[in-house]
Amino acid sequence: MTLQEFFLLLMSVLASVTGQFFLKLGALKLDRVNLGNAVNLVLGIITTPELLTGLAFYGLGAVAYILLLTRVNLSVAGPSASLVYVFSVLLGYFIFKESIPSIRLIGLSLIVGGVILVVWQK
């Protein structure tokens, strides 16, 4: 993976994680969905600035990922994009004070190890 390709991957991952951050912030402002409040909840989604910001960042992440796909095989880009999961767990831990059980840490380690093996060049 070249430096330019790595930069596109990093942009895609960071934009997607930032999108998840804002989506979580916006979701915290909403009530739990049920049959009685579904319509109001949808209206709340399209009028909550954090949710719109999150969707915009997801869009930027998708654009960066598409650009990455023009340069890298899907068999490399796809697994590399799974780094979003790692950063999302860390975001949940540090920002939203969510716990990370040991088994989840093992899973995250496997993801990171797998990405390293996928992008490793001889």
Side-chain angles (χ1 to χ4, degrees):
M1 185 174 285
T2 68
L3 189 59
Q4 289 177 336
E5 293 162 353
F6 178 75
F7 181 69
L8 284 171
L9 172 65
L10 187 63
M11 282 186 51
S12 176
V13 168
L14 291 178
S16 296
V17 171
T18 303
Q20 287 189 8
F21 169 74
F22 280 105
L23 290 177
K24 177 66 174 177
L25 282 180
L28 291 172
K29 293 184 172 185
L30 300 174
D31 293 327
R32 289 183 179 248
V33 67
N34 60 50
L35 197 54
N37 72 354
V39 173
N40 287 337
L41 195 60
V42 170
L43 292 175
I45 289 171
I46 62 175
T47 60
T48 303
E50 292 87 351
L51 294 175
L52 297 175
T53 302
L55 291 173
F57 272 102
Y58 259 139
L60 290 173
V63 168
Y65 186 70
I66 291 166
L67 295 174
L68 178 66
L69 288 173
T70 67
R71 303 175 61 105
V72 175
N73 291 338
L74 180 60
S75 61
V76 172
S80 299
S82 67
L83 290 173
V84 169
Y85 304 133
V86 175
F87 289 110
S88 295
V89 170
L90 295 175
L91 184 71
Y93 178 76
F94 287 109
I95 303 295
F96 297 108
K97 306 301 181 206
E98 299 173 356
S99 66
I100 305 177
S102 299
I103 194 75
R104 193 171 302 154
L105 284 174
I106 294 169
L108 294 175
S109 300
L110 291 171
I111 291 171
V112 171
V115 170
I116 289 170
L117 292 175
V118 165
V119 301
W120 192 278
Q121 294 183 10
K122 295 181 181 179

